[in-house]
Every structure is written in C-alpha cells, then in structure tokens.
Amino acid sequence: GQIMENFHEKAGKENVRLNCRITKIHWSGSRVTGMTLNDGEYVEVPEGDQVISSLPLPLLVKMLDPGWDSEISEALDKMKFRNVILVAQFVDKESLSPNGSIYFPGPSTPVTRVYEPRNRSPYMSPEGKTSVVAEIPCWPGDDDWNLDDETWLARIRKWMQEELGWWDDS
C-alpha cells in the first residue's frame, strides 16, 4: 500500500479518483486530452500534464477515442500474455544473498527472477528471518499454472537448495 499512498500524496489528493472506471481515453496528436469516467463524466487532462497507464496495451488501444487504425487493433487482438506465479516463503536466516533481485534469463531454470524483499528494507520480514520470492512465467491453463501451492513450494525450495545452495533443511 505504501507505493499507492506515496503516489496519492505526490499526485495531489484532488487529482486521484477512486471507485471509478475509465471508459474512454480521448487523445489528439501525441497526447491524452481527457478521459470519460463511468460512461459519462468527462475529465480534461490539462496541457503539460502526464497520464500513466498500467492497462494491458490491447485494452488501452480499444479505449482510445478517436479509435486506432484497424490493422493495429487486429494485431493487438492477437497478442498473448503470460501469467506469472509467485512463490514466496520465509526462511530462518537473516539473508540468503546480498542482492535485492537476481534474474535468470535462460530457459534452463524454472524461474525468471528471485528477489529477497528484506534486502531492500529490513521491515519486509520478521526479525531473524528473510523472505524469498520466485517468479515463474507460464501460459494460462498449462501444467505449471495448474500446480497446487504445496507442489510449487517444494519444487522451488528444492531448486534453490540444489542450484543456488542458499540453505539446507538440516
């Protein structure tokens, strides 16, 4: 929640709208000029202001008014998005690594990133413990996506023990 609280504070509480849905994004040239909220209320975006979006690109393009080139819209409809599984666990150690994040770009590992939140802030884990989170990309509905939590915990813990040598259970 801290990220959104800080965002809310920096943006100015009067500039943050809660419990509303953006239904159209109005644009001209290379800038957003306004937004329609809840299929009715228009909110202007003053010149020089910036708009930040975390919408998936195909959804963002579908909301643009005027609409986008149909060829681009068709290409966006064909985009596929992967899911990510997060496996998080506490470990009875102060730290496993000196890094906040470690990336594993090759196909030979079951994860793409492992991060240890405590290495960013000591408040991210109880005293005397650390937490470690593994990111596993997968496709919706594939075998990995359908594994249960306990299987994932055991698989990732074993991988971290054998491949990274971070800890042992003895």
Side-chain angles (χ1 to χ4, degrees), residues 59-91:
L59 180 58
L60 177 80
V61 169
K62 285 179 181 176
M63 296 171 78
L64 291 175
D65 184 31
W68 202 261
D69 181 302
S70 64
E71 190 174 308
I72 290 173
S73 294
E74 288 172 20
L76 289 170
D77 284 340
K78 294 176 184 173
M79 285 181 77
K80 293 181 180 178
F81 292 89
R82 293 185 79 186
N83 290 344
V84 65
I85 296 169
L86 300 177
V87 176
Q89 53 194 316
F90 283 111
V91 180

CSV table of all heavy atoms in Angstrom, one decimal, residues 59-91:
chain,number,residue,atom,x,y,z
A,59,LEU,N,-6.3,-3.4,-24.4
A,59,LEU,CA,-7.4,-2.7,-23.7
A,59,LEU,C,-7.3,-1.2,-23.8
A,59,LEU,O,-8.2,-0.5,-24.1
A,59,LEU,CB,-7.5,-3.1,-22.2
A,59,LEU,CG,-8.6,-2.5,-21.4
A,59,LEU,CD1,-10.0,-2.8,-22.1
A,59,LEU,CD2,-8.6,-3.0,-20.0
A,60,LEU,N,-6.1,-0.7,-23.6
A,60,LEU,CA,-5.8,0.7,-23.7
A,60,LEU,C,-6.2,1.2,-25.1
A,60,LEU,O,-6.9,2.2,-25.3
A,60,LEU,CB,-4.3,1.0,-23.4
A,60,LEU,CG,-3.9,2.5,-23.6
A,60,LEU,CD1,-4.3,3.3,-22.4
A,60,LEU,CD2,-2.4,2.6,-23.8
A,61,VAL,N,-5.7,0.5,-26.2
A,61,VAL,CA,-6.0,0.9,-27.5
A,61,VAL,C,-7.5,0.9,-27.8
A,61,VAL,O,-8.0,1.8,-28.5
A,61,VAL,CB,-5.2,0.0,-28.5
A,61,VAL,CG1,-5.7,0.3,-30.0
A,61,VAL,CG2,-3.7,0.4,-28.4
A,62,LYS,N,-8.2,-0.1,-27.3
A,62,LYS,CA,-9.7,-0.2,-27.5
A,62,LYS,C,-10.4,1.0,-26.9
A,62,LYS,O,-11.5,1.3,-27.3
A,62,LYS,CB,-10.2,-1.5,-27.0
A,62,LYS,CG,-9.8,-2.7,-27.9
A,62,LYS,CD,-10.4,-4.0,-27.3
A,62,LYS,CE,-9.9,-5.1,-28.3
A,62,LYS,NZ,-10.3,-6.4,-27.8
A,63,MET,N,-9.8,1.6,-25.9
A,63,MET,CA,-10.5,2.7,-25.2
A,63,MET,C,-10.2,4.0,-25.8
A,63,MET,O,-10.8,5.0,-25.5
A,63,MET,CB,-10.0,2.7,-23.7
A,63,MET,CG,-10.4,1.5,-22.9
A,63,MET,SD,-9.7,1.4,-21.3
A,63,MET,CE,-10.7,2.6,-20.4
A,64,LEU,N,-9.3,4.1,-26.8
A,64,LEU,CA,-8.9,5.4,-27.4
A,64,LEU,C,-10.0,5.9,-28.2
A,64,LEU,O,-10.7,5.2,-29.0
A,64,LEU,CB,-7.7,5.2,-28.3
A,64,LEU,CG,-6.3,4.9,-27.5
A,64,LEU,CD1,-5.2,4.7,-28.5
A,64,LEU,CD2,-6.0,6.1,-26.6
A,65,ASP,N,-10.2,7.2,-28.1
A,65,ASP,CA,-11.2,7.9,-28.9
A,65,ASP,C,-10.6,9.2,-29.4
A,65,ASP,O,-10.2,10.1,-28.6
A,65,ASP,CB,-12.4,8.3,-28.0
A,65,ASP,CG,-13.6,8.9,-28.8
A,65,ASP,OD1,-13.7,8.6,-30.0
A,65,ASP,OD2,-14.3,9.7,-28.2
A,66,PRO,N,-10.3,9.4,-30.7
A,66,PRO,CA,-10.8,8.5,-31.8
A,66,PRO,C,-10.1,7.2,-31.7
A,66,PRO,O,-9.0,7.1,-31.2
A,66,PRO,CB,-10.5,9.3,-33.0
A,66,PRO,CG,-9.4,10.3,-32.6
A,66,PRO,CD,-9.6,10.6,-31.2
A,67,GLY,N,-10.7,6.2,-32.4
A,67,GLY,CA,-10.1,4.9,-32.4
A,67,GLY,C,-8.8,4.8,-33.2
A,67,GLY,O,-8.4,5.8,-33.8
A,68,TRP,N,-8.2,3.7,-33.1
A,68,TRP,CA,-6.9,3.5,-33.7
A,68,TRP,C,-7.1,2.8,-35.0
A,68,TRP,O,-8.1,2.2,-35.3
A,68,TRP,CB,-6.0,2.6,-32.8
A,68,TRP,CG,-4.6,2.8,-33.0
A,68,TRP,CD1,-3.8,1.9,-33.7
A,68,TRP,CD2,-3.7,3.8,-32.6
A,68,TRP,NE1,-2.5,2.4,-33.7
A,68,TRP,CE2,-2.4,3.5,-33.0
A,68,TRP,CE3,-3.9,5.0,-31.8
A,68,TRP,CZ2,-1.3,4.4,-32.8
A,68,TRP,CZ3,-2.8,5.8,-31.6
A,68,TRP,CH2,-1.5,5.5,-32.1
A,69,ASP,N,-6.1,2.8,-35.8
A,69,ASP,CA,-6.0,2.1,-37.1
A,69,ASP,C,-6.5,0.6,-36.9
A,69,ASP,O,-6.0,-0.1,-36.0
A,69,ASP,CB,-4.6,2.1,-37.6
A,69,ASP,CG,-4.4,1.5,-39.0
A,69,ASP,OD1,-4.7,0.3,-39.1
A,69,ASP,OD2,-3.9,2.1,-39.9
A,70,SER,N,-7.4,0.1,-37.7
A,70,SER,CA,-7.9,-1.2,-37.6
A,70,SER,C,-6.8,-2.3,-37.7
A,70,SER,O,-6.9,-3.4,-37.0
A,70,SER,CB,-9.0,-1.5,-38.5
A,70,SER,OG,-8.5,-1.5,-39.9
A,71,GLU,N,-5.8,-2.1,-38.5
A,71,GLU,CA,-4.7,-3.0,-38.6
A,71,GLU,C,-3.9,-3.2,-37.3
A,71,GLU,O,-3.6,-4.3,-36.9
A,71,GLU,CB,-3.8,-2.6,-39.8
A,71,GLU,CG,-2.7,-3.6,-40.2
A,71,GLU,CD,-1.9,-3.1,-41.4
A,71,GLU,OE1,-2.5,-2.7,-42.4
A,71,GLU,OE2,-0.7,-3.2,-41.3
A,72,ILE,N,-3.7,-2.1,-36.6
A,72,ILE,CA,-3.0,-2.1,-35.3
A,72,ILE,C,-3.9,-2.8,-34.3
A,72,ILE,O,-3.5,-3.7,-33.5
A,72,ILE,CB,-2.6,-0.7,-34.9
A,72,ILE,CG1,-1.5,-0.2,-35.8
A,72,ILE,CG2,-2.2,-0.7,-33.4
A,72,ILE,CD1,-1.1,1.2,-35.6
A,73,SER,N,-5.2,-2.5,-34.3
A,73,SER,CA,-6.2,-3.1,-33.4
A,73,SER,C,-6.2,-4.7,-33.6
A,73,SER,O,-6.2,-5.4,-32.6
A,73,SER,CB,-7.5,-2.6,-33.5
A,73,SER,OG,-7.6,-1.2,-33.2
A,74,GLU,N,-6.2,-5.1,-34.8
A,74,GLU,CA,-6.2,-6.5,-35.1
A,74,GLU,C,-4.9,-7.2,-34.6
A,74,GLU,O,-5.0,-8.3,-34.1
A,74,GLU,CB,-6.4,-6.8,-36.6
A,74,GLU,CG,-7.8,-6.4,-37.1
A,74,GLU,CD,-7.9,-6.5,-38.7
A,74,GLU,OE1,-7.0,-7.1,-39.3
A,74,GLU,OE2,-8.8,-5.9,-39.2
A,75,ALA,N,-3.8,-6.5,-34.8
A,75,ALA,CA,-2.5,-7.1,-34.4
A,75,ALA,C,-2.5,-7.2,-32.8
A,75,ALA,O,-2.1,-8.2,-32.3
A,75,ALA,CB,-1.4,-6.2,-34.8
A,76,LEU,N,-3.1,-6.2,-32.2
A,76,LEU,CA,-3.1,-6.2,-30.7
A,76,LEU,C,-4.0,-7.3,-30.2
A,76,LEU,O,-3.8,-7.9,-29.2
A,76,LEU,CB,-3.6,-4.9,-30.2
A,76,LEU,CG,-2.5,-3.7,-30.3
A,76,LEU,CD1,-3.2,-2.4,-30.0
A,76,LEU,CD2,-1.3,-4.0,-29.4
A,77,ASP,N,-5.1,-7.6,-30.9
A,77,ASP,CA,-6.0,-8.7,-30.5
A,77,ASP,C,-5.3,-10.0,-30.6
A,77,ASP,O,-5.7,-11.0,-29.9
A,77,ASP,CB,-7.2,-8.7,-31.5
A,77,ASP,CG,-8.2,-7.6,-31.1
A,77,ASP,OD1,-8.2,-7.1,-30.0
A,77,ASP,OD2,-9.1,-7.3,-32.0
A,78,LYS,N,-4.2,-10.1,-31.3
A,78,LYS,CA,-3.5,-11.4,-31.5
A,78,LYS,C,-2.4,-11.6,-30.4
A,78,LYS,O,-1.8,-12.6,-30.3
A,78,LYS,CB,-2.9,-11.5,-32.8
A,78,LYS,CG,-4.0,-11.7,-33.9
A,78,LYS,CD,-3.4,-11.7,-35.3
A,78,LYS,CE,-4.5,-11.7,-36.4
A,78,LYS,NZ,-3.9,-11.6,-37.7
A,79,MET,N,-2.2,-10.5,-29.6
A,79,MET,CA,-1.2,-10.6,-28.6
A,79,MET,C,-1.5,-11.6,-27.5
A,79,MET,O,-2.7,-11.7,-27.2
A,79,MET,CB,-1.0,-9.2,-27.9
A,79,MET,CG,-0.2,-8.2,-28.7
A,79,MET,SD,-0.1,-6.6,-27.8
A,79,MET,CE,1.3,-7.1,-26.7
A,80,LYS,N,-0.5,-12.3,-27.0
A,80,LYS,CA,-0.8,-13.3,-26.0
A,80,LYS,C,0.0,-12.8,-24.8
A,80,LYS,O,1.1,-12.3,-24.9
A,80,LYS,CB,-0.2,-14.6,-26.4
A,80,LYS,CG,-1.0,-15.3,-27.5
A,80,LYS,CD,-0.5,-16.6,-27.8
A,80,LYS,CE,-1.3,-17.2,-29.0
A,80,LYS,NZ,-0.7,-18.5,-29.4
A,81,PHE,N,-0.6,-13.0,-23.6
A,81,PHE,CA,0.0,-12.6,-22.4
A,81,PHE,C,0.3,-13.8,-21.5
A,81,PHE,O,-0.6,-14.7,-21.4
A,81,PHE,CB,-0.9,-11.6,-21.6
A,81,PHE,CG,-1.1,-10.3,-22.3
A,81,PHE,CD1,-2.0,-10.1,-23.2
A,81,PHE,CD2,-0.2,-9.2,-22.0
A,81,PHE,CE1,-2.2,-8.9,-23.9
A,81,PHE,CE2,-0.3,-8.0,-22.6
A,81,PHE,CZ,-1.3,-7.8,-23.6
A,82,ARG,N,1.4,-13.8,-20.9
A,82,ARG,CA,1.8,-14.9,-20.0
A,82,ARG,C,1.3,-14.6,-18.6
A,82,ARG,O,1.3,-13.4,-18.2
A,82,ARG,CB,3.3,-15.2,-20.0
A,82,ARG,CG,3.7,-15.7,-21.4
A,82,ARG,CD,5.1,-16.1,-21.5
A,82,ARG,NE,5.2,-17.4,-20.8
A,82,ARG,CZ,6.4,-18.0,-20.6
A,82,ARG,NH1,7.5,-17.3,-20.9
A,82,ARG,NH2,6.5,-19.1,-20.0
A,83,ASN,N,1.1,-15.6,-17.8
A,83,ASN,CA,0.8,-15.4,-16.4
A,83,ASN,C,2.1,-15.5,-15.7
A,83,ASN,O,3.1,-16.0,-16.2
A,83,ASN,CB,-0.1,-16.5,-15.9
A,83,ASN,CG,-1.5,-16.4,-16.4
A,83,ASN,OD1,-1.9,-15.4,-16.9
A,83,ASN,ND2,-2.3,-17.5,-16.3
A,84,VAL,N,2.1,-15.1,-14.4
A,84,VAL,CA,3.3,-15.3,-13.6
A,84,VAL,C,2.8,-15.9,-12.2
A,84,VAL,O,1.8,-15.4,-11.7
A,84,VAL,CB,4.1,-14.0,-13.4
A,84,VAL,CG1,3.3,-12.9,-12.6
A,84,VAL,CG2,5.4,-14.2,-12.7
A,85,ILE,N,3.5,-16.9,-11.8
A,85,ILE,CA,3.2,-17.5,-10.5
A,85,ILE,C,4.3,-16.9,-9.5
A,85,ILE,O,5.5,-16.9,-9.9
A,85,ILE,CB,3.3,-19.0,-10.5
A,85,ILE,CG1,2.2,-19.5,-11.5
A,85,ILE,CG2,3.2,-19.6,-9.1
A,85,ILE,CD1,2.4,-21.0,-11.8
A,86,LEU,N,3.9,-16.5,-8.4
A,86,LEU,CA,4.8,-16.0,-7.4
A,86,LEU,C,4.8,-17.0,-6.2
A,86,LEU,O,3.8,-17.3,-5.7
A,86,LEU,CB,4.4,-14.6,-6.8
A,86,LEU,CG,4.3,-13.5,-7.8
A,86,LEU,CD1,3.8,-12.2,-7.1
A,86,LEU,CD2,5.7,-13.3,-8.5
A,87,VAL,N,6.0,-17.6,-5.9
A,87,VAL,CA,6.2,-18.5,-4.8
A,87,VAL,C,7.0,-17.8,-3.8
A,87,VAL,O,8.2,-17.4,-4.0
A,87,VAL,CB,6.9,-19.8,-5.3
A,87,VAL,CG1,7.1,-20.7,-4.1
A,87,VAL,CG2,6.1,-20.5,-6.4
A,88,ALA,N,6.4,-17.5,-2.7
A,88,ALA,CA,7.0,-16.7,-1.6
A,88,ALA,C,7.1,-17.6,-0.3
A,88,ALA,O,6.2,-18.4,0.0
A,88,ALA,CB,6.2,-15.5,-1.3
A,89,GLN,N,8.2,-17.5,0.3
A,89,GLN,CA,8.4,-18.3,1.6
A,89,GLN,C,9.4,-17.6,2.5
A,89,GLN,O,10.2,-16.8,2.1
A,89,GLN,CB,8.9,-19.7,1.2
A,89,GLN,CG,10.1,-19.7,0.4
A,89,GLN,CD,10.4,-21.1,-0.2
A,89,GLN,OE1,10.2,-22.1,0.5
A,89,GLN,NE2,10.7,-21.2,-1.5
A,90,PHE,N,9.1,-17.8,3.8
A,90,PHE,CA,10.1,-17.3,4.8
A,90,PHE,C,11.1,-18.3,5.1
A,90,PHE,O,10.9,-19.5,5.0
A,90,PHE,CB,9.3,-17.0,6.2
A,90,PHE,CG,8.5,-15.7,6.1
A,90,PHE,CD1,7.2,-15.8,6.1
A,90,PHE,CD2,9.2,-14.5,6.1
A,90,PHE,CE1,6.4,-14.6,6.1
A,90,PHE,CE2,8.4,-13.3,6.0
A,90,PHE,CZ,7.0,-13.4,6.1
A,91,VAL,N,12.3,-17.8,5.4
A,91,VAL,CA,13.5,-18.7,5.7
A,91,VAL,C,14.1,-18.2,7.0
A,91,VAL,O,14.2,-17.0,7.2
A,91,VAL,CB,14.5,-18.6,4.6
A,91,VAL,CG1,15.7,-19.4,4.8
A,91,VAL,CG2,13.9,-18.9,3.2
